[in-house]
Amino acid sequence: MSGLLSNIGSIRRHALPAARFAWARATGKKYPLMVTLSLTDRCNFRCEYCKLPELDRDEMSTADWIQAIDELADAGMQRVSLMGGEPLVRKDIGAIIDHLRARKINVAMNTNGWLVPKRIAEVEKLDLVCVTLDGPPEVHDLQRHKGSRARALSAIELLRSKGMNVVTMTVLTARGINTVDYVLERARELGVRSFFQLVHDSEGDPD
């Protein structure tokens, strides 16, 4: 009986978002199905193609983020991507992740990987981790941070050892445009998927 009740509860939790999505598609109503939360501009790196840490903008407090998450979840949010800067520099990242999970939200995070071992208790609660991998050391370390390519690979290996879903993200710069094969080879070895993006204006969307 307990197993049957558990299955019914699971079906009910998944049926409501699906029904809301179908209703929105049928009526043309929009709601925040997938949301990106930029938690901070702060970062422990100074990547040559990113100016976010220099903006020095105010951050929302933990309470602000909890309220925003509740409002978005009530509006229909089902998946969220946590971005920065580097999200793991926030001391309250665990509380934010815990609240998202309590609201039954699928949670992904983009990270440079450096702080993953230190924050693994929080990180392993995520549904997906995206680790930046720009290429071999002569590319990755030069445009991101000395020693960071090795730390990124170690972070991926740690996450995979815990059975986590991991992808890599490569920023294709003029220096690293020929590193695609290298990244794909590392991805095959590590058992992860790879994504690529062209370098772009890192100061945010144009006015």
Side-chain angles (χ1 to χ4, degrees):
M1 179 61 73
S2 62
L4 176 60
L5 292 175
S6 176
N7 288 337
I8 292 174
S10 177
I11 292 172
R12 183 177 298 166
R13 286 192 300 273
H14 289 86
L16 182 57
R20 184 187 288 123
F21 178 71
W23 178 78
R25 289 294 299 271
T27 62
K29 181 178 177 60
K30 297 182 190 239
Y31 70 95
L33 176 65
M34 301 175 63
V35 177
T36 297
L37 302 182
S38 183
L39 300 180
T40 181
D41 289 336
R42 290 179 293 133
C43 188
N44 54 326
F45 284 11
R46 291 297 181 269
C47 301
E48 66 178 24
Y49 48 70
C50 179
K51 299 294 186 293
L52 283 176
E54 300 174 12
L55 299 182
D56 194 29
R57 294 179 292 195
D58 291 338
E59 293 183 8
M60 290 168 59
S61 68
T62 309
D64 289 337
W65 278 118
I66 296 301
Q67 180 180 348
I69 288 166
D70 284 339
E71 292 176 1
L72 289 165
D74 290 343
M77 179 175 67
Q78 296 179 33
R79 186 180 188 279
V80 67
S81 180
L82 303 179
M83 307 277 288
E86 170 53 52
L88 293 179
V89 302
R90 283 191 68 122
K91 294 180 180 179
D92 62 353
I93 190 65
I96 292 172
I97 293 171
D98 285 344
H99 193 69
L100 285 162
R101 298 313 304 258
R103 293 303 307 257
K104 310 300 183 187
I105 306 298
N106 182 287
V107 191
M109 177 186 288
N110 282 43
T111 175
N112 57 42
W114 190 278
L115 297 173
V116 165
K118 181 179 179 180
R119 308 299 298 271
I120 190 60
E122 294 105 324
V123 174
E124 63 183 340
K125 297 176 183 178
L126 298 166
D127 295 289
L128 173 70
V129 183
C130 178
V131 180
T132 306
L133 180 63
D134 283 355
E138 59 269 22
V139 174
H140 184 104
D141 289 8
L142 186 60
Q143 62 192 25
R144 293 182 61 76
H145 188 78
K146 184 177 181 179
S148 60
R149 196 273 322 201
R151 291 283 285 262
L153 292 179
S154 293
I156 295 171
E157 291 171 350
L158 173 59
L159 294 167
R160 292 294 293 150
S161 73
K162 294 182 174 294
M164 296 196 63
N165 189 15
V166 182
V167 300
T168 64
M169 175 60 72
T170 301
V171 179
L172 294 174
T173 61
R175 179 189 297 111
I177 196 67
N178 295 319
T179 66
V180 173
D181 288 342
Y182 171 90
V183 172
L184 292 175
E185 185 176 346
R186 299 291 82 72
R188 283 191 290 268
E189 294 171 353
L190 295 163
V192 303
R193 293 173 294 153
S194 293
F195 295 87
F196 300 84
Q197 71 175 47
L198 295 175
V199 64
H200 58 79
D201 181 5
S202 63
E203 296 184 4
D205 295 331
D207 294 335

